[in-house]
Amino acid sequence: MTGLVVCVLVLAAASAYGVLQRRRSGRVRVRGRDDGKRLDAAELGAELGERATLVQFSSAFCAPCRATRRVLGEVAGMVPGVTHVEIDAEAHLDLVRRLDILKTPTVLVLDADGRVVRRAVGQPRKADVIAALGEAV
């Protein structure tokens, strides 16, 4: 009987953790650790957007990265002055460490000066990206 109780408790805890992780994944939010962090064109390997830049950290084996690329490309095409830059996380480990990128895809929303104003871990929704751009522009 005790084994059954333990199994039920472990299953309940794992389910709660899974639901929490799924709800958090892809949400665009401000993180205190991003305060004051800036990126420039040399670090990105591309020019900053006139109004904002969507920086996506990806890896070759990441399936959600392809969908994120599509979403960010669509948003950058819709909003004038916004650029989408994709960075291979494996090829830029120094930048990944400095920005505390722990998972791909991770999206950073930069203002016109390259300051990080928002961050999303996981695949963001298009509406969330557009809303995050409101703070950057």
Side-chain angles (χ1 to χ4, degrees), residues 7-38:
C7 285
V8 169
L9 288 175
V10 169
L11 185 58
S15 296
Y17 177 77
V19 168
L20 178 64
Q21 283 299 101
R22 186 174 185 136
R23 289 190 68 199
R24 291 183 62 197
S25 182
R27 290 181 124 181
V28 180
R29 56 191 169 272
V30 176
R31 290 183 5 154
R33 291 184 293 199
D34 288 333
D35 287 344
K37 290 186 179 173
R38 291 182 185 270

Side-chain angles (χ1 to χ4, degrees), residues 49-56 68-86 126 129-130 133:
E50 291 177 22
R51 298 175 68 198
T53 305
L54 301 170
V55 180
Q56 175 184 347
T68 299
R69 179 183 310 120
R70 182 183 49 78
V71 167
L72 298 181
E74 289 175 7
V75 171
M78 288 174 24
V79 183
V82 175
T83 303
H84 170 227
V85 177
E86 187 170 2
K126 186 187 286 189
V129 174
I130 293 169
L133 281 174

Side-chain angles (χ1 to χ4, degrees), residues 10-131:
V10 169
L11 185 58
S15 296
Y17 177 77
V19 168
L20 178 64
Q21 283 299 101
R22 186 174 185 136
R23 289 190 68 199
R24 291 183 62 197
S25 182
R27 290 181 124 181
V28 180
R29 56 191 169 272
V30 176
R31 290 183 5 154
R33 291 184 293 199
D34 288 333
D35 287 344
K37 290 186 179 173
R38 291 182 185 270
L39 296 171
D40 59 23
E43 291 172 308
L44 294 177
E47 291 299 316
L48 292 169
E50 291 177 22
R51 298 175 68 198
T53 305
L54 301 170
V55 180
Q56 175 184 347
F57 285 87
S58 299
S59 53
F61 58 85
C62 170
C65 293
R66 290 188 289 277
T68 299
R69 179 183 310 120
R70 182 183 49 78
V71 167
L72 298 181
E74 289 175 7
V75 171
M78 288 174 24
V79 183
V82 175
T83 303
H84 170 227
V85 177
E86 187 170 2
I87 296 176
D88 179 9
E90 296 172 73
H92 296 87
L93 291 177
D94 55 332
L95 192 57
V96 165
R97 287 183 191 108
R98 184 169 74 85
L99 296 171
D100 196 28
I101 306 296
L102 302 175
K103 180 179 173 183
T104 58
T106 292
V107 177
L108 304 178
V109 179
L110 310 180
D111 64 11
D113 297 324
R115 185 174 50 96
V116 178
V117 294
R118 294 274 184 191
R119 170 186 292 244
V121 177
Q123 182 181 338
R125 297 178 318 162
K126 186 187 286 189
D128 291 337
V129 174
I130 293 169

